[in-house]
Amino acid sequence: MESDLPTVTLRLWRADAIVLFDWLMSTELDSVPITHPAQKQALADLLSRLEYGVDADVAGSTSEEIAAAQKEVARDMGW
């Protein structure tokens, strides 16, 4: 990411970050419905930030940690 571009800070629940990272890693981005190519690029950028730029070691989550994160995020969804 270019250091001279404007950025935003986003705080995510660690479990959400793990679930998103796992999903992005296992998803073929060409199969995700988009209406503009920038949407696919934004998903790829998010994956990169989750992989290399988070404080917690999201990219190194074990299968047990991923399953626990999925359970936490899905808890009390109500839909």
Side-chain angles (χ1 to χ4, degrees):
M1 189 179 288
E2 301 285 331
S3 61
D4 59 337
L5 295 177
T7 63
V8 296
T9 301
L10 175 68
R11 290 180 55 153
L12 280 179
W13 187 24
R14 185 175 190 275
D16 284 336
I18 291 171
V19 169
L20 280 171
F21 178 78
D22 181 60
W23 176 74
L24 286 167
M25 285 297 292
S26 63
T27 298
E28 175 57 51
L29 291 182
D30 289 332
S31 69
V32 175
I34 61 167
T35 57
H36 192 280
Q39 295 167 335
K40 186 177 2 175
Q41 183 60 51
L43 286 173
D45 291 344
L46 176 60
L47 173 60
S48 178
R49 294 302 300 156
L50 288 170
E51 188 171 16
Y52 300 111
V54 294
D55 293 336
D57 185 21
V58 172
S61 296
T62 65
S63 58
E64 292 82 11
E65 290 171 319
I66 293 167
Q70 290 169 334
K71 185 176 178 179
E72 283 182 56
V73 173
R75 180 185 63 209
D76 300 325
M77 285 178 33
W79 50 278

